[in-house]
Amino acid sequence: MIQYPKLKTLATVLSFVLLASCNKVEQTSSISLVERIDTTTTNAHYISNRAPLKPSALIKLPVGSVKPEGFLKEYLVRQKNGLTGHLGEISAWLQKEDNAWLNENGEGNWGWEEVPYWLKGYANIGYLLEDQKMIDEAMVWLEGTIASQREDGNFGPRHFDGDNHDFWANMIMLYCLQSYYEYSHDERVIELMTNYFKYELTVPDENFLNGYWQKLRGGDNLHSVLWLYNRTGDKFLLDLAEKIHRNTSDWVGRQHDIKDIHNYYEVRNGGEVPDWYRDQIDWHNVNHAQAFREPAQYALLSHDEQHLKASYENFEIIREHFGQVPGGMFGSDENARPGYADPRQGIETCGIVEQMNSDEHLMRITGDPFWADHAEEIAYNIYPAAVMPDFKSLHYITSPNMVLLDAENHAPGIANSGPFLMMNPFSSRCCQHNHSQGWPYFVENLWMASPDNGLVAAIYGPNTVTAKVGKEGTEVTIKEETHYPFEGQLNFTLKMDEVISFPLYLRIPAWTKNAKITINGDVVKSDISKVGFAKIDREWKSGDQITLTLPMDIKVETWEKNSNSFSVSRGPLTYSLKIGEDYVKRESDQTAIWDSKWQEGADTQKWPSWEIRPTTVWNYSLVVDKKNPEKSLEVVERAWPSSEFPFTPESVPIVIKAKAKQISEWRLDEHGLVGELKDLPKTSTSPEEEVELIPMGAARLRISAFPELK
């Protein structure tokens, strides 16, 4: 499992000069191991940070540069054929009639966050799959948005938070416009954003970002301002960046006055609010997942290391108290509640995809490979578990330990009252639309440009990237073939029209030991451990092949603050108890929560909800040698699925066989939830049995945090 680090400093270590022979032409490769990539130069081909911003650590490639392959492409196809691709036909918020996003005056009954939430993912899936039908549909909304800009520079729906304009929904739409610009270079986007930001600068501070959601999430507005500044250099944007930061909630401060923490909260059994609760300005799961990074974003302008440090600390604080669980997230259901931190507490699907987005931002801002490790941990573990394999329905809440998904109310065990555990295409309106960004944004960040005109394999998965490299900007295509994260071998094949020298960086995950790199069949470096990147500086030619081998050992992580529970991982994957799953079809219009709305005439029969009930025993803990887990856990490899979808119990290519004992006292509690670990005995008289563990992302029912068993 990933260990969450303190802020690192740049260190460059160990260089090797190696000679390799290719087609009888002797070539020299320089191999360096570096914790961070040097930022003293500026990429000549991709837009980087302008002064006075801190130099770009890593640079995002334009949308469409990275194309998914293998199971990542299958994910996007399933989204296209599932809920994301059809929400425009069924969601009331996406109906075109009376929609404020399509009205030149910003007026209409449907006009807040839902359209841009959905469009972030929908449009980008269209770009990545080169699906013209999706691109054309996205353009309806983008054209409507561009046409909605008014004389004062404001655009979009006239939506208010009390007496003040609500800037939140526009922050999301700015993401959509930026992706569209990267794909199309439509200069109308630059014009709209420039005029809009001039408008924002005229709004008095007392009326700017004045409201709950927008004030907490000002970092998204800040991101777009800096994005535009790097393209235009307009100095007024730096003034606006300062204004946004001072009017955004204080994500730097600690020991806040409790009256300034506005999220709903309660303390279990009516106790006092603990002192540590004052160390975050907000504990709403989605707010935290997307807004904790704001100080690091502002650090690009302030150059203050304390701002950068604050984002790392924010990440650690919530996990210290609510994240002592596998899967990379934290147990806040919707709002984190002191006293509720068992692995049965969950995270909104919105929170999952926003954390992935934040990790990708922070990878680019800091160059710290930790954020890529964490993005993979979430994307390959808890996110697949949150969504049905056909992408036609999803959870509101996903937890590391879930053994029954039904349409019942589980409050107060789960914070919210309502059927929040079942798979539903309509509940709730935020996650229903916002989940669409998770996979396309992840794919777009697999590769990044480096300041020295190279390329960085930042996050791993099957894909093809095409980008400009070297001094002259020669175009190179690299095909990455792999079954990662299930196996540790990644094969890269380069294709270009001429021989070109450029640096290629391969991320070395923190969880691996003794990684190895071969070029054209020759081992050029082995025994790589505990380092950020392997830098290969070389004169490359078309057909060159690199193989990165990342050994995947079995590890056991003990979560001391959660009753010494433990989890099993192999490489980046957490493994969960395989539980038999019985899918019970329910009518969505009878089980959706109160604020679910669909278009008149939408056929809800085509979009059912699902309860999932266990058909096998689940109350096990594992009998495992924690110091030498490979002695008591057996890895079994299976064929790669012909469906190219490895995230179902039937299709997983790797399972782990284990010995386990039932804990008879472990049952569903009075709330219909898996019983809390703190109430369990530490011993069991039950006989040992053999069980199977499958990747967490493939288990819609799961035990991922096992009780301590002495």
Side-chain angles (χ1 to χ4, degrees):
M1 296 300 297
I2 293 169
Q3 299 296 312
Y4 306 119
K6 299 295 182 183
L7 186 60
K8 296 179 181 177
T9 57
L10 177 66
T12 303
V13 295
L14 198 59
S15 287
F16 300 87
V17 177
L18 301 147
L19 296 178
S21 178
C22 290
N23 295 335
K24 299 182 180 180
V25 178
E26 195 174 69
Q27 298 189 11
T28 301
S29 297
S30 172
I31 311 293
S32 304
L33 303 180
V34 298
E35 287 189 18
R36 302 285 179 90
I37 295 170
D38 184 64
T39 61
T40 55
T41 57
T42 302
N43 192 286
H45 317 301
Y46 296 106
I47 293 173
S48 306
N49 288 342
R50 289 176 181 256
L53 302 182
K54 289 180 66 175
S56 297
L58 295 173
I59 302 103
K60 184 180 183 297
L61 297 173
V63 174
S65 301
V66 185
K67 295 292 175 63
E69 305 285 355
F71 77 86
L72 289 178
K73 183 175 182 179
E74 178 64 20
Y75 255 125
L76 296 191
V77 170
R78 291 187 181 214
Q79 276 197 265
K80 166 192 166 183
N81 295 331
L83 195 58
T84 300
H86 292 277
L87 267 177
E89 305 161 19
I90 61 176
S91 167
W93 286 276
L94 304 189
Q95 61 190 20
K96 295 184 173 68
E97 184 179 351
D98 198 27
N99 197 299
W101 284 104
L102 298 179
N103 184 284
E104 289 186 359
N105 297 314
E107 297 174 350
N109 284 327
W110 310 97
W112 195 41
E113 64 183 8
E114 292 81 12
V115 165
Y117 262 163
W118 162 77
L119 193 61
K120 283 173 78 175
Y122 180 88
N124 287 36
I125 291 171
Y127 305 146
L128 296 180
L129 294 180
E130 298 180 324
D131 188 299
Q132 195 59 48
K133 183 178 178 181
M134 295 183 78
I135 294 171
D136 291 345
E137 177 64 17
M139 283 306 302
V140 173
W141 297 97
L142 292 166
E143 291 286 1
T145 297
I146 294 171
S148 74
Q149 189 158 48
R150 300 179 276 281
E151 288 186 6
D152 63 359
N154 200 0
F155 75 93
R158 296 182 186 271
H159 196 275
F160 291 84
D161 191 332
D163 295 329
N164 299 301
H165 183 78
D166 186 354
F167 292 91
W168 162 236
N170 282 13
M171 296 184 207
I172 318 171
M173 186 58 81
L174 289 170
Y175 271 96
C176 305
L177 291 167
Q178 290 158 214
S179 292
Y180 169 58
Y181 178 80
E182 291 178 14
Y183 181 76
S184 69
H185 303 290
D186 188 335
E187 289 299 319
R188 293 180 300 166
V189 171
I190 302 299
E191 181 182 358
L192 178 144
M193 292 179 67
T194 300
N195 291 331
Y196 177 63
F197 291 145
K198 287 179 178 178
Y199 160 74
E200 285 195 324
L201 199 57
T202 68
V203 179
D205 276 23
E206 59 267 26
N207 302 117
F208 185 60
L209 302 184
N210 194 331
Y212 181 63
W213 303 109
Q214 58 179 325
K215 189 171 186 64
L216 286 157
R217 300 174 178 183
D220 283 296
N221 205 150
L222 178 60
H223 159 69
S224 296
V225 168
L226 299 183
W227 180 93
L228 184 62
Y229 173 73
N230 286 330
R231 283 156 178 79
T232 68
D234 289 337
K235 299 299 184 185
F236 83 89
L237 293 168
L238 300 180
D239 295 332
L240 180 57
E242 295 283 5
K243 175 179 178 172
I244 291 169
H245 176 69
R246 71 174 176 264
N247 286 286
T248 296
S249 297
D250 182 10
W251 287 99
V252 178
R254 304 288 177 248
Q255 286 300 299
H256 299 284
D257 192 311
I258 200 69
K259 67 178 176 58
D260 295 326
I261 302 174
H262 296 296
N263 61 271
Y264 167 81
Y265 65 89
E266 64 182 79
V267 180
R268 192 164 189 168
N269 300 322
E272 292 293 320
V273 177
D275 285 344
W276 54 258
Y277 198 76
R278 296 174 171 84
D279 285 342
Q280 296 289 263
I281 193 62
D282 195 85
W283 296 86
H284 180 279
N285 75 108
V286 186
N287 285 339
H288 201 284
Q290 70 186 111
F292 83 96
R293 60 179 150 85
E294 189 274 342
Q297 293 172 297
Y298 179 62
L300 292 173
L301 180 57
S302 73
H303 294 250
D304 188 337
E305 287 297 309
Q306 291 304 310
H307 292 140
L308 184 59
K309 183 180 179 182
S311 286
Y312 278 83
E313 289 177 345
N314 291 338
F315 181 94
E316 292 164 357
I317 286 168
I318 200 166
R319 283 165 177 79
E320 174 73 11
H321 302 290
F322 297 100
Q324 298 294 305
V325 292
M329 292 304 297
F330 45 89
S332 69
D333 303 334
E334 182 161 340
N335 297 283
R337 300 172 295 161
Y340 293 89
D342 189 85
R344 76 181 192 180
Q345 312 304 145
I347 187 80
E348 285 185 53
T349 305
C350 278
I352 294 171
V353 298
E354 292 294 354
Q355 181 70 57
M356 290 167 61
N357 185 28
S358 288
D359 289 345
E360 292 147 12
H361 274 287
L362 288 165
M363 178 70 178
R364 299 191 299 268
I365 290 170
T366 68
D368 186 347
F370 163 76
W371 299 110
D373 284 4
H374 191 252
E376 288 184 0
E377 183 179 12
I378 295 170
Y380 292 143
N381 289 292
I382 198 166
Y383 184 35
V387 180
M388 285 282 278
D390 61 7
F391 266 85
K392 291 184 177 180
S393 56
L394 65 149
H395 281 307
Y396 185 61
I397 300 292
T398 304
S399 310
N401 286 358
M402 304 184 86
V403 299
L404 172 65
L405 310 180
D406 59 18
E408 302 304 315
N409 173 28
H410 296 277
I414 294 293
N416 296 58
S417 297
F420 284 108
L421 298 190
M422 70 184 310
M423 295 288 190
N424 192 301
F426 296 102
S427 300
S428 170
R429 58 191 266 194
C430 54
C431 300
Q432 174 194 26
H433 298 83
N434 192 25
H435 81 282
S436 63
Q437 67 165 295
W439 286 116
Y441 278 22
F442 184 78
V443 168
E444 290 168 26
N445 286 279
L446 296 177
W447 288 87
M448 299 181 190
S450 61
D452 53 2
N453 299 324
L455 281 177
V456 183
I459 300 172
Y460 291 128
N463 72 87
T464 299
V465 61
T466 300
K468 297 177 181 179
V469 296
K471 293 181 180 179
E472 304 301 323
T474 302
E475 190 171 88
V476 61
T477 295
I478 304 177
K479 187 177 182 66
E480 181 177 339
E481 297 176 283
T482 184
H483 289 155
Y484 185 93
F486 299 91
E487 66 176 33
Q489 182 167 308
L490 300 105
N491 301 306
F492 305 85
T493 303
L494 284 71
K495 181 180 179 182
M496 69 278 278
D497 292 334
E498 58 186 88
V499 174
I500 180 69
S501 295
F502 69 93
L504 180 65
Y505 296 85
L506 303 176
R507 181 183 118 255
I508 307 300
W511 48 259
T512 196
K513 295 179 181 178
N514 303 317
K516 179 178 69 176
I517 299 171
T518 66
I519 300 179
N520 298 327
D522 296 323
V523 176
V524 296
K525 185 68 184 85
S526 57
D527 301 323
I528 310 172
S529 304
K530 300 299 182 184
V531 67
F533 301 94
K535 176 185 179 182
I536 310 172
D537 224 338
R538 173 186 170 91
E539 188 176 76
W540 302 96
K541 64 177 180 59
S542 194
D544 278 345
Q545 294 184 329
I546 309 164
T547 298
L548 173 63
T549 303
L550 303 172
M552 292 182 168
D553 296 330
I554 297 177
K555 296 180 181 179
V556 174
E557 177 83 4
T558 298
W559 305 96
E560 294 180 5
K561 282 200 167 185
N562 230 322
S563 303
N564 284 318
S565 58
F566 64 94
S567 57
V568 174
S569 62
R570 177 179 177 271
L573 295 183
T574 291
Y575 280 73
S576 304
L577 178 71
K578 182 180 180 181
I579 302 172
E581 300 174 349
D582 178 31
Y583 287 77
V584 181
K585 185 176 179 180
R586 298 292 302 271
E587 299 301 330
S588 293
D589 55 359
Q590 297 176 16
T591 54
I593 66 171
W594 65 272
D595 69 346
S596 300
K597 293 180 174 63
W598 40 91
Q599 295 177 22
E600 185 177 350
D603 187 355
T604 58
Q605 298 289 318
K606 292 182 179 179
W607 300 93
S609 297
W610 296 94
E611 294 183 325
I612 307 178
R613 298 179 175 275
T615 62
T616 57
V617 174
W618 57 263
N619 57 348
Y620 288 106
S621 189
L622 305 181
V623 179
V624 60
D625 182 343
K626 294 182 180 180
K627 294 183 178 180
N628 300 288
E630 69 281 355
K631 292 183 177 180
S632 48
L633 299 170
E634 178 189 357
V635 176
V636 179
E637 298 184 18
R638 295 177 176 174
W640 186 259
S642 59
S643 65
E644 283 289 355
F645 193 81
F647 286 101
T648 67
E650 298 77 26
S651 65
V652 291
I654 299 288
V655 299
I656 295 176
K657 291 186 177 181
K659 298 294 184 181
K661 286 189 174 186
Q662 277 188 259
I663 301 176
S664 59
E665 295 88 349
W666 199 14
R667 307 183 183 94
L668 295 181
D669 72 357
E670 68 272 22
H671 307 301
L673 297 168
V674 57
E676 293 180 286
L677 302 182
K678 65 181 180 61
D679 299 325
L680 299 180
K682 306 298 184 183
T683 59
S684 172
T685 58
S686 300
E688 286 189 7
E689 303 176 50
E690 185 174 274
V691 297
E692 280 191 357
L693 309 181
I694 61 174
M696 181 180 184
R700 273 70 194 175
L701 300 182
R702 74 197 73 85
I703 295 294
S704 305
F706 293 92
E708 180 184 22
L709 195 61
K710 293 183 178 179

